[in-house]
Amino acid sequence: NAGVTQTPKFQVLKTGQSMTLQCAQDMNHEYMSWYRQDPGMGLRLIHYSVGAGITDQGEVPNGYNVSRSTTEDFPLRLLSAAPSQTSVYFCASSFFGGSGNTIYFGEGSWLTVV
Amino acid sequence: DQQVKQNSPSLSVQEGRISILNCDYTNSMFDYFLWYKKYPAEGPTFLISISSIKDKNEDGRFTVFLNKSAKHLSLHIVPSQPGDSAVYFCAASALTSGTYKYIFGTGTRLKVLA
């Protein structure tokens, strides 16, 4: 029962580099999302997906790209890393459709951009 | 525009006493509310939830109260234990653009003193 798995756990990037944060879930959830957590800002939604081939923007999408080719995977790409993207990133998933769905989080990916 | 607000960044409570964490929201379309608990270096874990058609939900030591007219919810922990020391996030969901989005507050750090 792995739930939501994120890799890598820690990463240091140089400004301008690109990278992909991986997220996989084994609960057959249609809904997957990415959040970032910053001090005093709570959890802010970056992008989300309601099924394979369907993605949409959240509150803070700039500088990030996503795709959803399978139900299980939802990678988050940083196109050209900036120091402002230093943060903790959480992937989450849930069943889709109707209210009352609990979302489940991965353990987080700590990203530092220098 | 912060739709979900946790105005107390931190709270200290003596072991055995009641902890009350508060959350206010502005969007009357929110119809499901959740509380998450987060330990350092881990992902948020689901604690308890409540539908907008109810005003109270209880699970062991945890009770969530919802006051829709005041757009306010609270989490009561009785009795508080040192292991409850963590950051607590409230979240609310509403149907937006054909899907449910989850909006999180900024979190309250609870410290239970032994």
Side-chain angles (χ1 to χ4, degrees), chain A:
Chain A
N1 52 348
V4 180
T5 304
Q6 292 182 231
T7 55
K9 182 111 179 165
F10 300 99
Q11 183 73 47
V12 178
L13 279 181
K14 292 183 178 178
T15 298
Q17 285 185 320
S18 62
M19 77 156 298
T20 300
L21 298 175
Q22 301 291 344
C23 176
Q25 53 89 11
D26 61 0
M27 297 175 280
N28 204 29
H29 286 165
E30 303 96 333
Y31 183 93
M32 296 186 74
S33 54
W34 278 100
Y35 290 83
R36 60 178 287 174
Q37 184 194 6
D38 301 292
M41 303 294 287
L43 293 158
R44 292 183 294 169
L45 181 63
I46 304 172
H47 284 287
Y48 65 96
S49 168
V50 300
I54 306 169
T55 63
D56 207 344
Q57 297 180 350
E59 304 168 72
V60 287
N62 292 339
Y64 307 95
N65 212 350
V66 292
S67 60
R68 183 96 179 267
S69 55
T70 66
T71 300
E72 294 78 20
D73 301 299
F74 190 46
L76 178 72
R77 295 183 191 84
L78 279 71
L79 309 172
S80 177
S84 60
Q85 293 179 303
T86 293
S87 188
V88 186
Y89 292 84
F90 292 100
C91 180
S93 74
S94 76
F95 287 110
F96 172 65
S99 179
N101 291 314
T102 300
I103 56 172
Y104 298 91
F105 285 87
E107 294 202 341
S109 295
W110 274 252
L111 177 66
T112 301
V113 182
V114 298

